[in-house]
Amino acid sequence: MSLEKARITLCNVNKEDYPQIKTLMDEAYPDLGGAWPSHTIFRLIDQFPEGQIGILDEGRLVGLALSVQVDYQRFSNPHTYDEIVDAHNRVFSDSNGDALYGLDVVIAKSHRGMRLGRRLYDARKELCRQYNLRAILAGGRIPRYTNHSKDMTPMEYIDKVDHKELYDPILSFQLANDFQVKRLLKQYLPEDEDSGGYATLLEWNNILFQPTDTVIDTKKTIVRVGAVQWQMRSVSSVEELMRQVEYFVDTVSEYQSDFILFPEFFNAPLMGLQEHRNQTEAIRYLAEFTELFRDAMSTMAIEYNANIVTGSMPLLDGEKIYNVSYLCHRSGKIDEQRKIHITPHEAYDWVIEGGDEISVFETDAGRVGIQICYDVEFPELSRLMAERGLDILFVPYWTDTKNSYLRVRHCAQARAVENECYVVIAGSVGNLPQVDSLDVQYGQSAVLTPSDFAFPHDAALNEATPNTEMLLFSDLDLDKLKLLHSEGTVRNLKDRRTDLYQVVLKRR
């Protein structure tokens, strides 16, 4: 996968996509007549273009969610499929409707198991919020009821699926996405023999708010970040450490975090798998696993729908070693930031080189930058990032003593104040006696803010318990940064004397 090219992206489908739409629907519904004719899809696109959402994988359509607007009062009561789609396969969207009605959701067989259906449902929910619609309604098939129809009624079957005693590929998924069964629909789709003609009338209730932009282009204003305060511990294999990484990704994603931050050199325990003659040999051995972890964490970012800042790992580029952090977007794109300033220990014992690129990365949840540990102690880097619109600065670090930790912490706090941005720092704790120079760690992860009335009085939004493995969650309001830039008590960015001084990047 290219480091620059995004894989998974949301889009609104258009008429030129119909051949791919037909392929998807034919694959999904071979027993129900396959794809809708082109005039049905074209009508949906003409009447409600934002409601027709697709997922692309490098330009190929691999997911589809079709929707219409309807009158809530009418369709929250018993109805049939024919009242949604008439005998001529025409679907009518009511532009004055106060509810969203979910039609088909289809995922290509090649991409099932990647949680893309959940992403389409989330896009529908965002669309519902932006249009100030009352709810999402849907008639849901229960295709495995046919296996139990002799033993139980449809309502008994639904109740057992709800209590997870049985699994239904459609109903179980909808319940997991916060939909509630409102009633049973009889003869909803008579030709659906697997469901016995029954369907569930499902509803997801929306807390209304004013729309701002199209669902695809909207940027989040409340961003949730999760920082992993990582316990260094001995491992017996690469697979064991990878399971530990996925455990934290899974756990943090359950809280619907937009970003997950790991510490610097989080995978250092792997150096203990073999004996090494010196530290230079050990760090080069660790670099052998970097691409493996980068690619695995990129896959996790897609599957768990969260952007992952991979802490940092050593990268062997030619004959040189760099300390590198990756930003694994949930779209599948991977960005890279190499550590610019190398500590004396890294330079002498590990022979690590400094990078020469300073980047601000555009994400679906703001503009972010990464500075690995020592880098945050150099204010010029953050100022260059701030000039490119930095919202959140992520700082993965590793420190062995409290005084070295406080250097990182105090400098990170200063960067938040002077550049009017959020700074998230995450480190490791515990000990690793079998690895030279990594015997002990001191860490206290934190989320730091500018210092003004809209922010906490001590400019610390959240702090972890020192030297304890834990997760730290915080919601960052990006609109507060915009207000601070123009109307803050002091305006550090706006009031710079650029007639007297400036920070210039010499090499691009």
Side-chain angles (χ1 to χ4, degrees), residues 96-153:
N96 296 315
D98 58 352
L100 190 71
Y101 196 101
L103 301 172
D104 297 85
V105 172
V106 184
I107 302 295
K109 287 184 179 179
S110 60
H111 284 66
R112 291 174 190 171
M114 298 179 69
R115 305 180 188 224
L116 299 183
R118 181 179 295 270
R119 199 174 300 201
L120 287 170
Y121 268 57
D122 287 344
R124 268 186 181 165
K125 292 174 184 177
E126 187 63 19
L127 179 64
C128 183
R129 294 187 187 103
Q130 289 193 24
Y131 268 67
N132 275 332
L133 301 180
R134 182 172 168 181
I136 301 176
L137 301 170
R141 299 171 57 228
I142 44 175
R144 291 200 178 169
Y145 176 61
T146 187
N147 300 329
H148 304 276
S149 59
K150 295 181 180 179
D151 305 317
M152 62 187 73
T153 67

Side-chain angles (χ1 to χ4, degrees), residues 241-286:
L241 189 67
M242 192 71 80
R243 285 194 297 271
Q244 187 179 355
V245 171
E246 185 161 13
Y247 163 76
F248 281 113
V249 171
D250 186 10
T251 303
V252 176
S253 71
E254 284 293 323
Y255 291 86
Q256 299 181 336
S257 291
D258 296 293
F259 291 98
I260 305 173
L261 173 63
F262 284 85
E264 181 180 25
F265 289 127
F266 71 92
N267 64 346
L270 296 179
M271 288 192 282
L273 295 179
Q274 290 188 5
E275 292 187 5
H276 305 283
R277 291 173 298 176
N278 52 54
Q279 293 184 43
T280 305
E281 184 179 274
I283 200 69
R284 286 178 171 259
Y285 170 75
L286 184 60

